[in-house]
Structure formats: C-alpha cells, structure tokens
Amino acid sequence: MPEMCTDGWQGRALVVGGGGIGRALQAELSQRHPTLLVTLATRHPLTAEEWNLDLESSSSLAELTAQLSADNHPLRIVINATGRLHSPLYQPEKRLQHVEQSALIDSFAINAAGPLLLAKSVEPVLTRDRPFHFASLSARVGSIGDNRSGGWYAYRAAKAAQNMMLRGLSLEWGRRLPLATVTLLHPGTTDTALSKPFQSFVPKEKLFSPERAAGHLLDVLLEQTPTDSGRFLAWDGQEIPW
C-alpha cells in the first residue's frame, strides 16, 4: 500500500464548518499545501469563494454532489469540522431528568448523521486509484471506554454513534476505495463558541486557540495512510478507546 504523502497533491480540499476550528483548518491547510485549492463550506458563507452547505438538508447535500461532479479539481481531502453541544433551546444534560427527545434528535442529526451523509455526498466523485482523506471531528467524551463522569447524554451518544458509523465506513471504503483514509479526530478543548460556556473548568494551558488546534489536527491527519483508516485519534496522535 503506497504512503499517503500529500506533498504536491493537486486538486480540491473541502473543509466543512464555518466555526473557529473550520476556518483555522482552511487557513492552515492552504498555507501548508499551496498546490491544493482549499474551500470552506458552511451554512453561512462570508465570501463568494465559500460554498453553501447544510448537513441537515438533503437538498443541500445533493447540490454538493452535483457541484463536485462538475468540478475540474479532483477531490483529495474532506474535513468535517461541524458539531453542536448546546443551543438556545438546550444545554448538555447533567442528569437523566434533563434529557429531552428534541435535544437527542437534534444532536444526532448534526453530530452523528451529518458526517455520514457528507461522506455519502462526496463518494460519487471518488475513484479507486486516487488517494483521499476523509476526516471528521469527534470528541473524547464520545468514548464509551473513557466515560468516567456520565452526563452529557445527547452529545456523548451522538459522537459515539458517529464513531461507529465512520468506523463502518472505513471498512466499506477499504474494500471499494483502497486509497481512501477515514480518520476521527479529537481536537482538544478549543476556544470556540461550542466550548465557551464550559471553559472555566479548563486549565489555561489546556485551552487551545483554533489555530493551534488546527495545526495539531493536520499534523496527525496527514500522517495517516490507508492502513490506518478507521482510527479514533486525539490531537497529539494518541489512540482514544472506543
């Protein structure tokens, strides 16, 4: 199996998610790999160069497939940097009586179903003979084996479900697309809107800027090869238990 060195790759890289980590990944990847055309896709594009994409909309996902099919640049990397821990309507549950069906469904829609539907949307443009990375942000709290505090039912369960789905995807693509590499990444606690309400519990040295998190994530991601496909890794490259 050939190594997945991305130096000199020609084509498009797609970063999905317009939050702090997504935009930092787009900037860092552009700087590291100038031969790649790195595009940000988000529900709220800020420039004409950014693509509009809503992972919770089937029509938006279908438009992405059509857009990529008409693209002259072969797709080489997709990084899903979306995620939802809280909203104006709910917060992470501290105990069972805080669990609401609507919050469970909402969390699964964006944190579990979204990444898999994104993979489904890009699959039609992938080929067996072209190396390709598909990565998605997971979270250490989605580890069943590492869960020692409980709570956060919806977010934990949705991230665990994403891990299972993309682990399954890595096995399917391993048979059908042998040069594809699927990676689940934990970015560490990062100074973004997602973590903002909970940062007081995080030591200052363990709260990463989006730029630092992006650098760590790309260091880990771009070392992965097809033989590594399906791994769940922290920002420092350490394996996280399922």
Side-chain angles (χ1 to χ4, degrees), residues 61-188:
L61 288 163
E63 289 172 9
L64 175 65
T65 304
Q67 195 167 11
L68 291 171
S69 298
D71 191 11
N72 293 325
H73 305 280
L75 189 62
R76 310 307 299 271
I77 298 174
V78 172
I79 305 175
N80 170 53
T82 65
R84 186 177 298 146
L85 174 57
H86 53 85
S87 82
L89 300 178
Y90 62 85
Q91 293 291 318
E93 310 91 344
K94 294 182 179 179
R95 56 191 180 92
L96 179 62
Q97 293 305 311
H98 295 160
V99 173
E100 298 287 347
Q101 184 182 55
S102 58
L104 291 168
I105 292 172
D106 186 69
S107 185
F108 269 74
I110 190 64
N111 296 314
L116 190 68
L117 293 172
L118 174 63
K120 178 184 177 183
S121 297
V122 305
E123 186 190 58
V125 304
L126 306 181
T127 63
R128 289 180 58 87
D129 60 350
R130 183 183 301 127
F132 172 72
H133 277 294
F134 184 92
S136 185
L137 298 192
S138 186
R140 188 179 293 275
V141 297
S143 165
I144 296 173
D146 193 58
N147 184 359
R148 295 177 176 84
S149 60
W152 289 28
Y153 286 97
Y155 189 71
R156 284 184 183 274
K159 287 296 189 179
Q162 179 198 187
N163 292 350
M164 174 61 84
M165 290 178 181
L166 295 191
R167 174 69 174 176
L169 175 68
S170 73
L171 297 171
E172 177 182 346
W173 277 0
R175 296 186 292 267
R176 297 178 44 238
L177 298 166
L179 298 185
T181 302
V182 177
T183 310
L184 290 145
L185 295 168
H186 166 59

